Amino acid sequence: MKKLNESYLEIKKSKFISLLYQVDNINEIEEIIKELSVEHKKARHIVYAYKIGGQEKSYSDKEPNGTTRGLLDLIHVKNLDNTLIVVIRYFGGILLGSGPLTRTYTKVSSDLFKN
C-alpha cells in the first residue's frame, strides 16, 4: 500500500479529508481503514471506494445512500485500478443534505488529482 495524495475541504464547518492509495489487495484496504479509524477516532464518517481488478466497492459509513457513489465514478473516469479513495468527515453540526454532500465528497476526491 502506498499513499499517493491527500486533499482537504471545509464546508459549513464540516471537515473533509480525502486520501488516495495504491493498493494490491483487500487486506491492505482493511488495514488502512482500521488505521484511519484509530487515527481519526472523533471523525463521524469514514467513507471509501476501491477497485482492484474486477472487484470494486463503495462504502458510505451510514451517510445517505448514493452520496459516495462519486468516489467510485471518479475511479472509473480516471481509468484507475488498484486504487482506494477514502474520505474522512468530521461533522460540523450543520446538515448538508444529500445533493451538497454528494458534490462535496466528489469535489474533495477530485482534488486528489490536481497538481
Side-chain angles (χ1 to χ4, degrees), residues 29-95:
I29 293 169
E30 292 170 355
E31 184 179 325
I32 290 166
I33 299 303
K34 187 176 178 181
E35 287 175 9
L36 291 173
S37 296
V38 170
E39 182 180 344
H40 297 275
K41 285 182 224 178
K42 294 185 180 182
R44 176 74 62 93
H45 305 280
I46 298 179
V47 304
Y48 62 89
Y50 66 82
K51 181 175 184 296
I52 300 174
Q55 293 183 304
E56 58 183 51
K57 179 180 178 179
S58 175
Y59 176 71
S60 61
D61 192 20
K62 299 178 187 161
E63 288 283 39
N65 283 344
T67 55
T68 59
R69 179 66 196 173
L71 280 66
L72 197 53
D73 290 344
L74 188 59
I75 290 171
H76 287 280
V77 167
K78 297 289 186 182
N79 200 25
L80 301 171
D81 199 6
N82 291 35
T83 301
L84 168 67
I85 296 175
V86 180
V87 181
I88 301 156
R89 179 184 183 193
Y90 286 88
F91 182 62
I94 299 171
L95 294 175

